[in-house]
Amino acid sequence: MAEVADRLRAATAALGGVSGTPRLDAELLLAHALGMARHELLLRQRDLSVPAAFDGLIGRRLTGEPVAYITGTRDFWTISLQVTPDVLIPRPDSETLIEAAVEHFAGRAPETILDLGTGSGALLLAALDQWRQARGLGVDISPGALAVAADNAARLGFSDRAAFRMGDWADGIGENFDLILINPPYIARSAPLSGDVLHEPEGALFAGAEGYDDYRRIAPQLPRLLRPDGLAAVEIGFDQREGVSALFTAQGLEVGVRHDLAGHDRCLAVRACPSVRQDLQG
Ligand code: GLN
């Protein structure tokens, strides 16, 4: 029966106007309507028929609603996360932060991890999946986001290694950490936006006139939070390397940069200054 193939083709054509990935979106929404994974749908499509709910899901996508909010899930690194409109949808770009951490800790593992602005918990929980002995703290100012993150930790079986706390960046946090992961809001207030971001929480996206407001809050907190041989992996906008690096180097920190898959500057790899690291070795 060609029903699945035909309906996917028609849905892909319809979604071309609202999405940069219409075929993928159609497949993810049909798999969701069938209650199966996308790869299962693709393998079994000749034996399947299209459930009535599919049209409704495509209709929601046609209004611009992001696929991840319709299906309620998004994959990130090695894990699958529940997402709601209370949280930013995890992006593949942000996996650059985990890559930076994997490189930094080559041959050893971070024991303690801090995720500032944890949202869905994506970065913290991906790191806890990567390093199975590590423990972590996720901080967010949004109670709705913290509920999503705690739920994700429980679903992944990480509740005993993950704690969550409401907070305004690192205010009131006295501990220090081997690995700090931060994907703050960094979009300039006046930036013209389209697509999924129009449906995402503003508090997770915008950071003042130029997008630097939250980096300015975070930078002075990092020296006390970061262990001497630790790493802070900080997401940045593609054109923010110089501006954000300067905020961290002004705190005596050392900064490297990592690119995302598109080749854009995406992650600052922030370490303690060389003299602090040398004291550790000596
Ligand atoms: N990377 C996101 C975007 O450009 C923004 C997320 C953020 O501000 N942290 O859509």
Side-chain angles (χ1 to χ4, degrees), residues 88 91 93-94 183-187 197 200 204-206 235 266:
L88 190 80
R91 316 269 206 268
D93 288 346
S94 302
N183 178 16
Y186 54 71
I187 298 178
V197 286
E200 293 179 287
L205 292 168
F206 299 105
E235 184 162 329
R266 185 58 61 194

Side-chain angles (χ1 to χ4, degrees), residues 71-257:
T71 64
T73 65
R74 179 68 155 231
D75 290 345
F76 182 79
W77 194 247
T78 49
I79 58 176
S80 193
L81 295 151
Q82 308 286 311
V83 296
T84 74
D86 276 320
V87 299
L88 190 80
I89 299 165
R91 316 269 206 268
D93 288 346
S94 302
E95 293 177 354
T96 311
L97 278 63
I98 305 291
E99 288 169 5
V102 166
E103 188 176 292
H104 179 87
F105 289 98
R108 61 191 175 112
E111 286 174 18
T112 55
I113 302 169
L114 173 66
D115 180 3
L116 291 179
T118 193
S120 64
L123 288 166
L124 175 63
L125 298 172
L128 292 180
D129 197 44
Q130 184 73 28
W131 293 289
R132 304 299 294 225
Q133 308 300 317
R135 288 172 292 106
L137 172 64
V139 177
D140 209 288
I141 202 161
S142 155
L146 287 169
V148 173
D151 184 47
N152 278 321
R155 284 167 188 271
L156 290 162
F158 295 167
S159 294
D160 54 340
R161 297 192 291 131
F164 294 96
R165 194 185 293 174
M166 191 166 354
D168 190 6
W169 299 118
D171 286 358
I173 295 182
E175 309 100 287
N176 60 12
F177 300 84
D178 297 315
L179 173 61
I180 302 175
L181 300 161
I182 315 176
N183 178 16
Y186 54 71
I187 298 178
R189 172 61 61 189
S190 59
L193 297 179
S194 61
D196 287 6
V197 286
L198 299 176
H199 297 256
E200 293 179 287
E202 286 192 14
L205 292 168
F206 299 105
E210 286 127 33
Y212 287 85
D213 283 14
D214 292 288
Y215 296 117
R216 288 193 187 100
R217 298 269 330 277
I218 293 162
Q221 301 184 322
L222 271 196
R224 77 173 152 84
L225 295 170
L226 189 58
R227 289 210 176 138
D229 55 353
L231 177 79
V234 184
E235 184 162 329
I236 54 169
F238 71 95
D239 57 355
Q240 294 177 322
R241 177 172 56 87
E242 280 185 33
V244 182
S245 295
L247 296 173
F248 292 124
T249 52
Q251 300 295 327
L253 298 161
E254 196 173 88
V255 181
V257 69

